[in-house]
Amino acid sequence: MTNFLDINATSPGDLRAIIDNAKAMKVARNGRPKGALDDDQPLAGQMVALIFEKPSTRTRVSFDVGVRQMGGQTMVLSGKEMQLGHGETIADTARVLSRYVDLIMIRTFEEQTLLEMAEYASVPVINGLTNRTHPCQIMADIQTFEEHRGSIAGKKVVWSGDGNNVCASFIHAAGQFGFDLTFTGPQTLDPEAGFVEEARAKGANIVIERDPFKAVEGADLVVTDTWVSMHDPVSARERRHNQLRGYQVNEALMRQAKPDALFMHCLPAHRDDEATSAVMDGPNSVIFDEAENRLHAQKAIMRYCLGV
Ligand code: CP
Ligand code: NVA
């Protein structure tokens, strides 16, 4: 069973093959309308379940469109409306769904839900975001960086803000793709120490720097994300805003990075909180390329999982 559960759970060789395939499939579409089928129809006759226990725009639409372009069909399911949200176990849900569909993508809260789904399903399972990680996003981000600047190996990536699920997958990627990552943010919002140690053990230079202006010196890429994630309590909002204000990505901060440093944000953004509109809409921002590449990267991930 080939799942796509996390970047640190997939071999560097497989990750590279997925990125290269995503780039090739994007080129092969050659500007055709979004609803047009790909030349290859590797998912013909296949049914994909897309389960959401949290809101989504990009993940939902990009997976749905991607499956259809490859000739498959989708079923978008809200966790709340499934028996899963009313007490049925994940294990039973996984075994039932496996009798109907060929692939499961799930966006959920606890990582344990994803892992149990993968353990009990007899079809591949893809992580569409948990409280802990967001691997599909970072595959799209690696593709995006490389389309603009070539290989990401050896480059300096700076994460400014909350050491959240998206940050965690960037740290995993640093270990697997061989780039350096500097985290800058308040100590209380540091990324998980275990993720940092694991990436360091794989040879990545992971630095924690409290001063954002020092952190971004020499950066090839500056990344941020919302200060309050979907799983964070709403009551944490004010405190987080106070803690993170100094880590806003604005033009003054970007000036400390390399002149051609790219800016990324997985979106949705809270404009003029974690990043200013001047940066988000500026010449070095690639936020909408990232969003587009969710489509291409995930198509390659689904082909990898299904072996087609
Ligand atoms: N970046 C991302 O996963 O966006 P959605 O929450 O809209 O899916
Ligand atoms: N860190 C954000 C990412 C959203 C795509 C969240 O989990 O809400």
Side-chain angles (χ1 to χ4, degrees):
M1 188 64 56
T2 308
N3 297 312
F4 187 75
L5 299 181
D6 268 314
I7 288 184
N8 65 343
T10 308
S11 74
D14 286 352
L15 294 169
R16 174 46 58 196
I18 292 168
I19 298 281
D20 290 348
N21 197 18
K23 290 178 187 168
M25 284 197 294
K26 181 176 179 177
V27 170
R29 280 194 66 80
N30 201 19
R32 68 184 68 178
K34 314 296 183 297
L37 298 176
D38 288 348
D39 290 334
D40 292 341
Q41 293 287 281
L43 264 65
Q46 310 242 34
M47 179 62 75
V48 179
L50 305 172
I51 305 174
F52 290 91
E53 295 198 289
K54 288 174 177 169
S56 171
T57 296
R58 280 142 287 267
T59 306
R60 176 179 170 155
V61 178
S62 57
F63 264 105
D64 201 343
V65 170
V67 171
R68 294 178 201 215
Q69 288 181 350
M70 296 193 291
Q73 298 191 66
T74 58
M75 200 172 277
V76 181
L77 303 162
S78 150
K80 278 195 204 89
E81 285 158 18
M82 295 171 73
Q83 299 293 7
L84 180 65
H86 299 272
E88 187 167 21
T89 66
I90 299 151
D92 286 350
T93 305
R95 286 178 287 202
V96 169
L97 288 179
S98 300
R99 302 289 178 107
Y100 302 133
V101 305
D102 301 288
L103 178 66
I104 298 170
M105 189 288 312
I106 180 165
R107 163 169 288 195
T108 188
F109 288 86
E110 300 305 325
E111 180 178 60
Q112 193 52 33
T113 305
L114 169 80
L115 298 179
E116 255 178 78
M117 188 68 82
E119 184 179 348
Y120 290 96
S122 55
V123 299
V125 173
I126 295 175
N127 176 357
L129 179 144
T130 69
N131 295 357
R132 241 179 142 205
T133 59
H134 195 5
C136 289
Q137 178 67 51
I138 277 49
M139 293 299 279
D141 292 350
I142 303 286
Q143 180 184 351
T144 305
F145 182 90
E146 294 196 339
E147 284 173 352
H148 286 271
R149 297 283 184 267
S151 171
I152 197 162
K155 295 289 196 300
K156 178 176 176 180
V157 176
V158 176
W159 179 280
S160 184
D162 179 19
N164 64 13
N165 45 6
V166 179
C167 177
S169 288
F170 250 114
I171 292 171
H172 288 161
Q176 301 290 66
F177 287 91
F179 57 85
D180 298 343
L181 187 140
T182 297
F183 169 83
T184 185
Q187 191 173 2
T188 45
L189 298 175
D190 271 352
E192 281 184 40
F195 288 157
V196 171
E197 280 153 27
E198 183 188 335
R200 282 179 179 153
K202 288 179 178 165
N205 182 24
I206 310 287
V207 174
I208 310 266
E209 167 58 62
R210 301 285 165 222
D211 179 342
F213 286 86
K214 267 195 207 152
V216 298
E217 276 169 20
D220 297 285
L221 168 64
V222 179
V223 196
T224 191
D225 185 16
T226 180
W227 288 343
V228 187
S229 284
M230 291 183 274
H231 60 274
D232 289 322
V234 180
S235 58
R237 188 178 177 278
E238 193 179 336
R239 187 160 166 266
R240 278 169 171 259
H241 275 239
N242 289 335
Q243 286 177 296
L244 287 162
R245 198 157 287 131
Y247 295 94
Q248 181 191 63
V249 181
N250 50 37
E251 286 173 303
L253 191 67
M254 286 301 289
R255 272 196 292 275
Q256 303 303 309
K258 282 190 183 163
D260 68 344
L262 297 177
F263 169 73
M264 287 192 188
H265 189 310
C266 66
L267 306 178
H270 298 80
R271 281 175 175 261
D272 301 311
D273 283 346
E274 68 266 17
T276 59
S277 284
V279 169
M280 291 182 66
D281 301 326
N284 293 358
S285 171
V286 290
I287 56 178
F288 298 111
D289 291 341
E290 291 178 81
E292 176 183 341
N293 284 336
R294 294 294 301 277
L295 171 67
H296 308 294
Q298 288 158 189
K299 285 169 73 177
I301 290 168
M302 289 189 276
R303 293 188 73 158
Y304 163 74
C305 288
L306 291 167
V308 293

